[in-house]
Amino acid sequence: MIKEAFQKTFGTEPDVTARAPGRVNLIGEHTDYNDGFVLPAAIDRSIDFGARRRKDNVVHVYSIDFEDQAEFSLDAIEKDNDRPWSNYLRGVLKFLQQDGHRLTGFDVAFGGNVPREAGLSSSAAVEVGAVALAMNLFNIELGPLEVVRLARRAENEFVNVPCGIMDQFVCALGKRDHALFLDCRDLTYRHVPLSGRVKIVVCYSGVHRALTASEYEIRLQQCRQAVAQLGTTGLAVKSLREIDLTDLEVASHSLSEILLKRARHVVSENDRVLKAVKNLEKGDLDSFGRLMIASHESLRDDYEVSCKELDVLVELALKQPGVLGARMTGAGFGGCTVNLVLADAAGPFAEVVKEGYSKATGLNAEVYVRKASDGALVGA
Ligand code: GLA
């Protein structure tokens, strides 16, 4: 598909291609920017790139999904508010140059099938894919962590979205049929095999994550405030990752009700990730599923980032046979739920949830059975 799109726009074959997947997070939500633990997987939906070098210093970029084109010089890369889809690529190129890599102009087309604004990290896929493409196009050698950091920097400092590191990390380093267990403090990770007995089913609520940007920033600040106030009790920590529920209880008088709820989510979620990884490794999928359910309740009640539609999807899911766990996934306020469903039950599950959801909300859900797949830097 990418080769044809490139050919149609630029009249020749692309010289190089690259691909990066979207992701779904199984458990460990809103923990990454608190130095905590996450357990996402890259999915079999991706963004593809095709490119060819030019002789000048200009980048011509075509977005297949937006059917739109932009052009900019590498000499002065600015944010384009009229074509926000092009900013992930611009950010990556700007920081590559800042880091001393020599680029020339090029023609590039990109697009794919990661749903946008659905909480499946289409933006991280574009950023990581853009880094992988530039490495191929200009023979740049970067280590995996450099790729991940550069992609995140484009999102934080160019697009100006203050995300954590989870999405770019798993888009780059996820592995087929595995989840990725990442410690966001020291960036050590390992791949944990996913059992063939279950399927990962993703339900898209049809609700775009409108509030996400502002509420995300508020949660981030609240976590910082909680850390600062815990410090007044003598609990000198750098992040919520460093305390457990007992510490939090002892120091709870230093926090307002709201900050206590936010901190309790993060601290309990870290604990759930550690338990979930152990359960997955010993094949105890029932316990894993129960942790997903507890994660959703914590995100809904303590972190307050769910919404009616996501709650409806989770409630419906938990009534279906063969469902071990269900929760909202990603930043929240819309987007998707992730469900762990016994393989045989996944087909009927999709039908019943779609029907029940449209009856309850008047909206159409999209239900996808997803496979964990290789990240942009793995396999291929
Ligand atoms: C978004 C961010 C991630 C992470 C999740 C919540 O996807 O990009 O860094 O914080 O929200 O877990």
Side-chain angles (χ1 to χ4, degrees), residues 203-205 308-318 326 335-337 339 349 353 357 365:
C203 300
Y204 175 46
S205 63
K308 192 188 83 204
E309 292 82 0
L310 292 173
D311 294 343
V312 168
L313 278 174
V314 167
E315 277 160 34
L316 270 169
L318 293 178
C336 293
T337 62
N339 305 268
F349 170 87
V353 168
Y357 184 69

Side-chain angles (χ1 to χ4, degrees), residues 278-349:
K278 279 195 191 131
N279 288 327
L280 198 55
E281 283 174 336
K282 58 175 199 237
D284 184 354
L285 298 171
D286 291 302
S287 300
F288 187 96
R290 280 193 290 274
L291 291 163
M292 291 174 76
I293 300 170
S295 167
H296 184 76
E297 288 165 356
S298 176
L299 287 156
R300 182 190 64 202
D301 302 336
D302 276 347
Y303 219 59
E304 297 179 282
V305 292
S306 187
C307 62
K308 192 188 83 204
E309 292 82 0
L310 292 173
D311 294 343
V312 168
L313 278 174
V314 167
E315 277 160 34
L316 270 169
L318 293 178
K319 287 189 193 137
Q320 307 314 316
V323 175
L324 305 180
R327 57 181 286 276
M328 55 153 276
T329 184
F333 299 102
C336 293
T337 62
V338 57
N339 305 268
L340 200 66
V341 185
L342 290 179
D344 298 344
F349 170 87

Side-chain angles (χ1 to χ4, degrees), residues 23 25 28-33 163-167 216 330-331:
R23 67 99 186 89
N25 191 14
E29 217 65 84
H30 289 278
T31 45
D32 63 351
Y33 54 86
C163 64
I165 201 161
M166 166 172 74
D167 303 344
Y216 189 93

Side-chain angles (χ1 to χ4, degrees), residues 12 25 36 69 78 81 85-86 95 105 132 177 190 211 218 225 246 251 263-264 268 312-313 320 332 342 348 359 375:
T12 56
N25 191 14
Q69 209 161 341
E78 304 283 349
N81 293 325
W85 56 263
S86 69
F95 295 133
D177 298 329
R190 69 174 191 270
L211 275 172
I218 292 171
Q225 274 171 27
T246 315
R264 192 165 56 209
S268 63
V312 168
L313 278 174
Q320 307 314 316
L342 290 179
K359 269 198 195 129

